[in-house]
Amino acid sequence: MTATDPGVPPPDHPRPPDPLPARPPDSWRSRPARQQPPWPDPVALRRTVAELEGAPPLLHPAECDRLRARLAAVARGEAFLLQGGDRTETFAGTTATQIRTKLRTLLQMAMILSYAGSVPVVKVGRMAGQYAAPCSAPTETRDGVTLPAFGGDAVNGPDFSPGARTPDPERLRRAYQASAAALNLLRALTAGDDTALRRIHEWNQDFVARSPAGERYERLVRDIDTAIRFMTACGARTDALRTADFYTSHEALLLEYESALTRVDERSGASYDLSGHLVWIGEGTRQPDGAHVEFASGVGNPLGVELGPTATADEVLALVDRLDPEREPGRLTFLTRMGAAAVRDRLPELVAKVTASGARVGWVCYPVHGPALGSPAGPTTDLCTRVLDEITGFFEVHQALGTHPGGVHLELTGDEVTERVRGPREAAQGAGPARHGTADGPRLDRAQALDLAFAIAELYRSQ
């Protein structure tokens, strides 16, 4: 959204990618589409979609091109992607405080990773568009009553009643409005002094001072302080020291919505989904002949695809052929959600065969979160350990293959909710029951996220 990160090669105005092969805007409608709500009123849906088609785009194609250029550096092994945010955003949670705290947490993590790992960090928020969620089943039954499953605020309401659970196209309009408001605030925050390196460093100093694990990180914080003082003494006054380069992402789940916000770029004639900079395809909708892959193959955005432990090398190579036929670095990023138990066994074959094919994709670890395991005191306290174990396994696989561990994608919040394992500091203190801030699954809180950033930096440095 703002100035470039130091050390990342791409210019501020990279050349747009070559136009994609022309295809009808609605070509995805001829393919099987999973996870689409059963909209009960087709007329109301068409009316809402028509309004969104005429609404101003949320982004400019050039912003997507800049992110694509930065992700090319990730694919080449020259940068690291940090992507994170809520598993599912809510309209009520789209507040200035919530947006600011999530942004602050990601920027703090990025500073730790960039300095300790000696690598430029590409910062992408799972924000300003993640208002829909895939459903494990189309319906939910309670006490003999069956209603549509809750598909996120962009679809219906969480209350278990016929009125709340009926999919409502008006919610698509509200998702657009909430995304626009969030993006406007993110632009203001990342362009101001509030995200200057000095301020981010002060936040990290505060974390270290209050953390029982602070001694472990105190030397790193002192080193960062020395570096900032040196740059200041040398008269460094670049935009990169005063602003933060930040992008947004979400799962492109609701195809009516994503299609309505797709526009043709007058510079190149290519189509872009201007609902988010990076859009990704979920584990349940990544069929190479499915509607979601067909839609994504026709837009110029950088794309992500989730890969679970059942993904085969043939399926992944088919996705490369469909989504990145030109083998262009920055076009395609794989978000691997293998689980701690499977990552060391399932990931090597996928990475090896994609690399052998000549594709230059980004490999990013999306450690499995999902619902927390139950216990009498609430969620179990080993989940954060399993998240770190999966990330560690991800790094081990890439080290063994000589490939680049390109980044992490985390479900997190800026709040102090301790929904996940309470990391080493909470375990040592015997923390009490977790404090949940969302109904659809736990997330890493700010302290856990920063603890994890230091751990990831150490893993990266050891490569």
Side-chain angles (χ1 to χ4, degrees):
M1 288 184 180
T2 55
T4 56
D5 284 332
V8 178
D12 279 343
H13 303 286
R15 180 185 65 82
D18 293 333
L20 295 159
R23 55 171 53 85
D26 289 343
S27 62
W28 61 267
R29 297 183 186 278
S30 65
R31 304 295 182 92
R34 298 187 180 185
Q35 295 286 343
Q36 300 309 288
W39 304 107
D41 187 344
V43 174
L45 176 62
R46 286 196 297 270
R47 183 168 58 246
T48 298
V49 168
E51 291 179 12
L52 292 174
E53 288 173 342
L58 294 173
L59 309 167
H60 190 277
E63 297 176 56
C64 301
D65 291 341
R66 284 197 290 272
L67 176 57
R68 187 164 167 173
R70 283 153 180 73
L71 292 175
V74 172
R76 292 191 298 264
E78 301 164 0
F80 190 83
L81 172 64
L82 173 64
Q83 184 175 356
D86 283 309
R87 185 182 183 192
T88 307
E89 294 178 285
T90 65
F91 296 153
T94 304
T95 66
T97 299
Q98 292 284 336
I99 293 167
R100 185 180 294 110
T101 55
K102 280 183 283 189
L103 173 65
R104 177 177 292 193
T105 299
L106 286 166
L107 294 180
Q108 287 181 266
M109 294 180 72
M111 172 176 273
I112 294 165
L113 289 166
S114 183
Y115 189 87
S118 300
V119 61
V121 175
V122 181
K123 298 172 285 293
V124 177
R126 182 178 170 134
M127 300 168 65
Q130 191 66 35
Y131 296 104
C135 301
S136 57
T139 61
E140 179 183 355
T141 300
R142 299 185 192 177
D143 299 325
V145 177
T146 300
L147 296 174
F150 177 52
D153 276 2
V155 176
N156 53 9
D159 293 342
F160 194 75
S161 68
R165 289 297 180 90
T166 300
D168 181 3
E170 173 64 24
R171 288 176 170 271
L172 296 177
R173 185 185 296 106
R174 291 185 62 189
Y176 169 84
Q177 294 167 346
S179 297
L183 282 162
N184 285 340
L185 181 57
L186 286 169
R187 287 191 173 97
L189 291 173
T190 54
D193 288 340
D194 194 53
T195 57
L197 286 182
R198 169 63 65 181
R199 292 297 306 278
I200 300 170
H201 177 54
E202 290 171 0
W203 302 334
N204 280 340
Q205 287 177 312
D206 174 66
F207 166 71
V208 167
R210 295 189 295 112
S211 170
E215 291 183 6
R216 179 183 178 193
Y217 310 135
E218 189 173 1
R219 179 176 178 181
L220 174 62
V221 170
R222 287 201 307 267
D223 288 347
I224 294 174
D225 187 57
T226 300
I228 292 176
R229 289 177 182 275
F230 174 75
M231 289 187 290
T232 302
C234 291
R237 293 291 187 272
T238 69
D239 284 342
L241 299 182
R242 298 193 303 271
T243 61
D245 203 17
F246 193 80
Y247 301 91
T248 63
S249 67
H250 65 268
E251 181 178 351
L253 186 66
L254 303 179
L255 292 176
E256 294 285 4
Y257 179 82
E258 305 297 334
S259 181
L261 290 177
T262 298
R263 305 285 188 271
V264 175
D265 179 18
E266 62 182 13
R267 303 169 304 158
S268 64
S271 295
Y272 287 78
D273 180 357
L274 298 180
S275 67
H277 298 104
L278 167 66
V279 292
W280 80 81
I281 301 168
E283 167 72 1
T285 56
R286 59 172 171 80
Q287 298 75 28
D289 61 348
H292 288 80
V293 170
E294 173 66 17
F295 170 78
S297 68
V299 298
N301 305 61
L303 303 173
V305 181
E306 292 182 15
L307 300 178
T310 63
T312 67
D314 287 344
E315 290 171 342
V316 176
L317 291 172
L319 287 167
V320 172
D321 288 340
R322 290 283 286 119
L323 299 173
D324 184 25
E326 301 302 321
R327 305 300 195 262
E328 183 178 344
R331 167 64 170 174
L332 185 57
T333 298
F334 284 126
L335 311 172
T336 65
R337 353 179 3 145
M338 300 289 169
V343 63
R344 294 170 178 85
D345 296 328
R346 302 294 302 141
L347 185 59
E349 180 186 13
L350 305 186
V351 175
K353 290 194 174 180
V354 170
T355 302
S357 77
R360 300 291 296 276
V361 305
W363 292 99
V364 172
C365 183
Y366 180 3
V368 172
H369 283 200
L373 299 177
S375 74
T380 56
T381 58
D382 69 337
L383 190 50
C384 216
T385 302
R386 286 166 47 198
V387 167
L388 181 57
D389 187 18
E390 182 170 355
I391 295 172
T392 302
F394 173 83
F395 272 85
E396 289 171 357
V397 167
H398 284 284
Q399 185 171 36
L401 294 174
T403 51
H404 178 57
V408 293
H409 178 151
L410 302 169
E411 294 173 11
L412 58 82
T413 175
D415 298 329
E416 300 293 343
V417 293
T418 48
E419 294 168 328
R420 294 276 177 204
V421 174
R422 294 170 271 212
R425 66 188 192 95
E426 290 90 0
Q429 292 176 308
R435 300 184 300 279
H436 291 269
T438 180
D440 84 325
R443 305 153 295 173
L444 296 166
D445 73 1
R446 173 175 173 262
Q448 293 162 346
L450 295 180
D451 274 335
L452 193 59
F454 281 109
I456 295 169
E458 291 175 353
L459 287 170
Y460 194 92
R461 228 174 7 185
S462 69
Q463 292 289 299

